[in-house]
Amino acid sequence: MDERVSLAIIGGGPAGLAAAAAARERGVEDIVVFERDTRLGGILNQCIHNGFGLHTFKEELTGPEYAGRYIEKVRQLGICCETGSMALSISPDREITVVSREKGLRVVRADAIVLAMGCRERPRGALNIPGTRPQGIYTAGTAQKLVNCMGIIPGREVVILGSGDIGLIMARRMTLEGAHVQVVAELMPYSGGLKRNIVQCLDDFGIPLKLSHTVVDIRGRRRLEGVTIAQVDRTGAPIPGTGIDYPCDTLLLSCGLIPENELSLTAGVALNGATNGPLVDDRLQTSVPGIFACGNALHVHDLVDFVSEEAGRAGTHAAEYILNGGHGAGPCVRVMPGEGIRYTVPTTVHLGDGDDQVRLRFRVRDVYKGRAIRVTSGGEAVLLKKRRIMVPSEMEDVAIDRRRIVDGDLRVEIVEVEP
Amino acid sequence: MRYDVIIIGAGVTGCAVARALSRYDVSALVVDRESDVCEGTSKANSAIIHAGFDALPGTLKAKLNVRGSAMMDELARDLDIPFRRNGAMVVCWRADDLPKLQALYDRGVANGVQSLRLLNGDEARALEPALRDEVCGALYAPTSGIVCPFELTLALAENALENGVRFSLSTGVTGIVQDEAGFAVTTTRGVFHAKCVVNCAGVYADKIHDMVCEPSFNITARRGEYMLLDKTAGGTVSRTIFQLPTEMGKGVLVSPTIHGNLIVGPTALDIDDRDDTATTREGLNEVRRASALGVKDIPYNRVITSFSGLRATGSTGDFIIREDEKVKGFVDAAGIESPGLSSAPAIGEDVLEIIRGILPLREKESYIPTRRGIPKLAGMDFEARQRLIAARPEYGQIVCRCEQISEGEILDAIRRPLGAKTLDGVKRRVRAGMGRCQSGFCSPRVTELLAREQGIAFEDVVKNG
């Protein structure tokens, strides 16, 4: 006998919790959150630094505090959360195979599903860094878990490759824990993390950031003994003769995050090659009806506040899908990433005469100073927004009146500002 | 301690010899300098059970490969390890080279390889659509197979252990002398005595040989670099795609692995340092370049790890499996490069026959020919998995999300005889950490389990060694 629920949410991190709360507030009674870890909160539990919640709560919280607000909310709303439960697969008609210690292996059928599995870090192997494979190489997030949740310092002499936010945060954390962070190397000519993290985590501690540099060799048989860092040319290829050896026992990698969608693929959800997240419409519905996506499983965010907001919308749309017995198909237009735009979320938008705003989120390909974001609908400009600076490490977010969208491609692009 | 036989080296060859010997009423000890079995050449190779068309007819490589491959189905059943005959093709994209394919076919027939067929380019592409348009011919060998080299080696070792063979790991051999009772083998853990010594020491086999015998061969470490791709790329090809062999080996192959990943490689470079398993920029670039010659659209953006292994290339060009002419009782199983994995069970038999000439071998009644592996929950049907979790709830707690490996399986890996002591040991036994995140998520928990089960501090759990 199959179990049935109205809404199943896969992942009890910030995205899943916000989606659950929003769906309950919109009127869905029967909700279950499946969380594979032993506790709710996701990666926020290991983010003990502050800086979370400035948008959502207008105050500065640590990661666990931010998660705590949503965990409390979900508890107050009486939403069922199963921790230690991992969804193994989802069928296209929304039968979820779940496994846990307590309840064993079972199938749960859901009227709608919100995918909120988060993302993973790009490991050393995927970076094709040559050399040996000793102990002492960690992704920044793994090191963060060891230090902040388990009280283990993975090493004393540290080199960091990649200037993603977790790498920057860990440069500071390792320094505060008494380790010596020698250098942060970044392959690109610009940082992969937020400006405030460069200032607060590197500059304030005198840790050098070497842009256009990468690790070209790893040494040490059992334990890491050293790495070589070299300058790279514009194509990312190391420039011969620029290598410098850094003796170290620890190498942290902060070289990009990848939305985790192996589960989505089991349901037949189509992915966007640019994000590795599902292709979604402006209701955050994937290519499979009744399956929605949000948070870092959809695309990698810079701030958790934006995750919560987006996940709330996914929860609301999922609730409407359930309460209305499905969404009307309705005409859609495509959202096309134009000049300077790496991707957009969503990639399709429903036409309609509602007075709501359509949110478009995207990342730019390069550093742009003094340019503008232009959105056109069927060739007509519907939005022009000047921006002092745009960088690939920060997500951009614009809103458009739905009534201004006509039948024709929506195009997002970076344009010169007319004098 | 006195033994009838000491086997030096716990790779696939040593473990195959140990298992073959364990059927008989002899006392045997396997020593290895590493803390686990399968730590050398056996852990980093193409994981192919070759059909047997490569080696020159009449060589040991040819005979033992064909015989070893034929033994593999029953062995896999007995030892409960995954094995599949996925077939292989040697592809050729220059019309000038077609005679070489024919020569390879003839060689395979002479070696006794069954079911070989020569295909034209279109026939080959009909079977493997990812082959390049330039491919103009292929030798198709349906009997070629894929195996997990860790599980094969571990299963041989576990079964030998269950039948009474002892293992002393973290035990490096530093000297061997012949005495009236046979041999005294000095190790980092004391002196062991035996009537017979079997040298399965891989890239160090010549050094071990020369400790007690006149030098008669050299071993060169021939490094091969590989890239392993995510399971989502595992279906790029369904058979193992080889290129025409050269004097340095079988060239760069593209193959699914038994666990569903895609493996590409190896390069071939002779090196001086017999422990140097580093990868290089040049090597990895070469793997990419060469693998793309025969197969198109390999998704290199889904590489999850790269590694290199060392082939133990012997100076005679063939496997060296014999009792030393002067030092009676000292048996070499050396120069076991490719097709060493494929040949291992047959090498075990051949070494056994040599030992039969040295010691009396009497079959044991208590011999147990089969071994049960650690249950693999991710591959089980629903009801069987449900029952197992109901019986032991740890099987329901997923620790490695990428490979869907449960806490129960990891505990099994640690608690079994010859169990895992390191993160890599767990990884090789149950694949926790083998997936696309490369242990980023699961390693803290696996480390906790290793520390708890061994009664050591978290900080003292190591990745390997």
Side-chain angles (χ1 to χ4, degrees):
Chain A
M1 191 186 66
D2 282 0
E3 279 178 60
R4 294 189 68 104
V5 294
S6 297
L7 177 61
I9 291 175
I10 316 295
L17 295 174
R24 168 57 55 86
E25 285 169 347
R26 187 68 185 74
V28 180
E29 289 301 318
D30 187 14
I31 302 174
V32 61
V33 177
F34 294 117
E35 166 54 47
R36 56 188 156 198
D37 207 339
T38 51
R39 54 203 273 208
L40 296 172
I43 294 300
L44 284 177
N45 288 326
Q46 65 188 55
C47 301
I48 63 170
H49 53 284
N50 59 355
F52 301 91
L54 287 167
H55 296 257
T56 310
F57 299 111
K58 310 298 177 207
E59 59 181 307
E60 202 170 36
L61 305 174
T62 65
E65 286 172 333
Y66 187 99
R69 300 261 173 122
Y70 278 92
I71 293 168
E72 186 55 31
K73 189 170 185 182
V74 163
R75 292 243 161 86
Q76 281 176 3
L77 290 168
I79 294 168
C80 168
C81 296
E82 286 192 16
T83 55
S85 295
M86 176 146 162
L88 301 175
S89 64
I90 302 174
S91 73
D93 49 0
R94 301 186 298 276
E95 288 183 344
I96 309 164
T97 304
V98 191
V99 68
S100 73
R101 192 187 286 256
E102 289 76 22
K103 296 194 173 182
L105 184 66
R106 67 198 215 269
V107 173
V108 177
R109 203 180 135 64
D111 296 333
I113 294 172
V114 176
L115 302 170
M117 294 84 70
C119 59
R120 65 172 174 269
E121 299 174 282
R122 186 167 280 120
R124 181 256 176 109
L127 300 166
N128 291 309
I129 307 170
T132 57
R133 301 201 294 163
Q135 183 158 10
I137 303 171
Y138 303 88
T139 55
T142 303
Q144 187 177 46
K145 170 146 190 165
L146 290 173
V147 174
N148 292 349
C149 300
M150 306 176 84
I152 302 290
I153 311 301
R156 293 287 160 190
E157 282 294 333
V158 184
V159 167
I160 298 178
L161 175 62
S163 58
D165 287 311
I166 315 170
L168 301 175
I169 295 284
M170 283 311 292
R172 176 173 65 185
R173 171 60 49 207
M174 292 295 286
T175 305
L176 292 173
E177 298 293 342
H180 175 222
V181 179
Q182 302 180 35
V183 64
V184 176
E186 168 58 56
L187 180 73
M188 303 304 287
Y190 46 81
S191 160
L194 298 173
K195 179 73 182 167
R196 73 176 196 211
N197 284 333
I198 301 280
V199 173
Q200 294 172 9
C201 301
L202 300 188
D203 296 352
D204 286 358
F205 294 89
I207 299 167
L209 171 63
K210 288 191 151 196
L211 299 174
S212 300
H213 278 72
T214 193
V215 173
V216 295
D217 192 27
I218 293 173
R219 291 180 299 281
R221 194 152 289 157
R222 302 276 189 225
R223 178 79 203 191
L224 180 64
E225 289 164 10
V227 301
T228 304
I229 292 177
Q231 199 178 342
V232 297
D233 63 22
R234 276 188 208 160
T235 68
I239 300 170
T242 61
I244 298 174
D245 291 347
Y246 288 84
C248 58
D249 59 23
T250 305
L251 173 66
L252 302 188
L253 304 171
S254 183
C255 302
L257 301 170
I258 305 164
E260 282 226 299
N261 282 288
E262 285 66 34
L263 183 66
S264 317
L265 290 172
T266 65
V269 167
L271 301 187
N272 182 344
T275 57
N276 211 46
L279 289 163
V280 292
D281 63 17
D282 57 315
R283 295 162 181 159
L284 302 175
Q285 184 170 223
T286 68
S287 62
V288 178
I291 300 184
F292 298 78
C294 59
N296 282 353
L298 178 56
H299 60 130
V300 174
H301 293 64
D302 49 356
L303 296 180
V304 71
D305 302 73
F306 299 144
V307 168
S308 302
E309 186 276 335
E310 177 186 276
R313 281 190 281 133
T316 302
H317 289 299
E320 283 165 4
Y321 179 92
I322 294 162
L323 300 171
N324 301 336
H327 284 158
C332 284
V333 297
R334 296 186 299 175
V335 187
M336 307 299 288
E339 180 66 31
I341 308 295
R342 200 157 68 77
Y343 71 84
T344 67
V345 171
T347 52
T348 52
V349 169
H350 288 85
L351 292 171
D353 53 5
D355 60 354
D356 61 327
Q357 301 262 300
V358 174
R359 305 289 292 268
L360 297 180
R361 288 181 165 173
F362 56 92
R363 290 206 188 221
V364 295
R365 288 189 179 279
D366 206 341
V367 176
Y368 297 99
K369 288 183 178 165
R371 304 282 186 93
I373 301 161
R374 183 169 69 190
V375 182
T376 56
S377 174
E380 293 291 317
V382 292
L383 180 129
L384 188 70
K385 187 178 174 188
K386 285 184 195 174
R387 298 277 280 117
R388 196 175 55 78
I389 185 164
M390 286 178 279
V391 293
S393 59
E394 295 187 16
M395 195 179 73
E396 298 290 336
D397 185 5
V398 296
I400 298 156
D401 286 342
R402 189 180 302 276
R403 280 178 294 203
R404 297 197 63 188
I405 299 170
V406 299
D407 193 4
D409 288 347
L410 265 175
R411 191 174 185 82
V412 187
E413 57 200 337
I414 304 301
V415 294
E416 302 279 351
V417 178
E418 286 161 27
Chain B
M1 276 296 292
R2 295 199 166 272
Y3 294 90
D4 293 324
V5 182
I6 289 177
I7 297 163
I8 301 171
V12 71
T13 304
C15 292
V17 171
R19 180 185 185 250
L21 209 50
S22 72
R23 184 183 204 97
Y24 298 91
D25 194 12
V26 290
S27 61
L29 172 73
V30 180
V31 297
D32 196 287
R33 65 172 190 159
E34 302 294 338
S35 70
D36 201 353
V37 302
C38 198
E39 277 280 5
T41 299
S42 305
K43 80 172 174 191
N45 53 69
S46 306
I48 306 294
I49 300 303
H50 295 283
F53 49 77
D54 277 284
L56 288 172
T59 59
L60 281 177
K61 283 183 180 175
K63 283 188 249 179
L64 295 174
N65 182 348
V66 173
R67 184 145 57 84
S69 168
M71 293 167 73
M72 205 56 79
D73 303 87
E74 189 184 341
L75 189 69
R77 262 197 311 278
D78 283 350
L79 299 182
D80 191 23
I81 59 170
F83 168 63
R84 184 160 63 87
R85 293 197 190 272
N86 66 319
M89 276 188 207
V90 183
V91 300
C92 150
W93 51 85
R94 281 190 217 95
D96 294 354
D97 284 338
L98 286 171
K100 294 182 188 166
L101 272 189
Q102 177 69 47
L104 213 51
Y105 173 89
D106 294 341
R107 202 189 280 179
V109 171
N111 288 345
V113 181
Q114 303 292 308
S115 314
L116 289 174
R117 267 162 61 202
L118 284 166
L119 308 177
N120 65 31
D122 289 338
E123 290 167 334
R125 271 183 296 277
L127 289 174
E128 290 292 346
L131 292 181
R132 284 201 178 277
D133 297 346
E134 293 83 356
V135 168
C136 57
L139 171 62
Y140 177 35
T143 60
S144 182
I146 47 182
V147 73
C148 173
F150 317 132
E151 285 194 74
L152 172 59
T153 306
L154 272 160
L156 289 164
E158 286 180 7
N159 189 228
L161 183 82
E162 184 167 15
N163 285 302
V165 174
R166 300 177 72 162
F167 283 76
S168 183
L169 300 172
S170 302
T171 304
V173 173
T174 55
I176 306 171
V177 290
Q178 206 173 9
D179 57 24
E180 57 281 4
F183 299 90
V185 178
T186 308
T187 76
T188 51
R189 297 206 170 192
V191 182
F192 300 99
H193 299 273
K195 295 170 191 155
C196 170
V197 170
V198 185
N199 172 19
C200 308
V203 291
Y204 285 96
D206 54 348
K207 307 281 186 202
I208 295 291
H209 175 95
D210 295 352
M211 284 177 181
V212 64
C213 304
E214 291 285 312
S216 63
F217 60 88
N218 290 311
I219 302 290
T220 304
R222 182 170 289 173
R223 187 168 65 194
E225 301 187 32
Y226 292 89
M227 297 196 294
L228 190 75
L229 278 68
D230 189 88
K231 286 180 172 176
T232 55
T236 304
V237 292
S238 60
R239 293 168 189 79
T240 304
I241 309 300
F242 292 101
Q243 304 175 0
L244 280 166
T246 70
E247 61 187 25
M248 287 298 277
K250 298 184 180 68
V252 169
L253 62 81
V254 179
S255 181
T257 71
I258 191 73
H259 295 292
N261 296 86
L262 191 76
I263 188 169
V264 292
T267 55
L269 180 71
D270 291 343
I271 57 167
D272 294 330
D273 180 348
R274 300 183 191 205
D275 292 317
D276 184 2
T277 53
T279 55
T280 61
R281 181 168 294 274
E282 299 74 28
L284 296 178
N285 286 343
E286 173 61 13
V287 169
R288 275 177 179 240
R289 185 198 68 78
S291 57
L293 291 172
V295 180
K296 61 190 175 193
D297 302 331
I298 297 172
Y300 296 106
N301 59 345
R302 288 186 238 164
V303 170
I304 60 172
T305 191
S306 47
F307 62 92
S308 78
L310 302 177
R311 309 169 181 85
T313 302
S315 52
T316 67
D318 199 2
F319 294 156
I320 301 156
I321 299 169
R322 63 190 179 208
E323 184 179 10
D324 192 79
E325 280 181 21
K326 294 201 183 111
V327 182
K328 292 299 165 193
F330 188 91
V331 182
D332 286 304
I336 312 296
E337 57 179 333
S338 179
L341 189 69
S342 319
S343 305
I347 294 173
E349 282 188 345
D350 272 22
V351 170
L352 185 72
E353 290 316 304
I354 296 170
I355 294 172
R356 205 187 287 280
I358 302 167
L359 298 169
L361 293 181
R362 202 180 68 245
E363 276 198 49
K364 286 193 291 220
E365 279 178 19
S366 58
Y367 176 67
I368 302 158
T370 58
R371 163 260 188 197
R372 294 308 301 166
I374 297 168
K376 295 180 179 66
L377 278 89
M380 272 180 196
D381 69 63
F382 192 88
E383 281 77 22
R385 189 171 183 175
Q386 221 171 15
R387 277 196 302 275
L388 214 52
I389 295 168
R392 205 167 146 218
E394 292 100 314
Y395 286 131
Q397 178 82 52
I398 301 291
V399 173
C400 165
R401 61 173 75 168
C402 303
E403 295 291 316
Q404 297 188 355
I405 307 301
S406 65
E407 186 173 308
E409 290 160 271
I410 293 165
L411 290 172
D412 286 349
I414 300 169
R415 290 173 182 169
R416 275 168 93 87
L418 287 176
K421 303 180 189 79
T422 64
L423 287 167
D424 282 354
V426 169
K427 182 171 80 171
R428 287 198 289 270
R429 281 166 179 79
V430 289
R431 294 183 63 75
M434 196 73 97
R436 51 183 68 90
C437 92
Q438 286 286 296
S439 83
F441 285 117
C442 67
S443 61
R445 181 63 184 151
V446 176
T447 305
E448 276 184 336
L449 294 172
L450 277 163
R452 185 188 83 192
E453 292 294 312
Q454 296 179 97
I456 61 176
F458 188 101
E459 291 90 332
D460 293 333
V461 175
V462 294
K463 180 175 178 290
N464 61 54

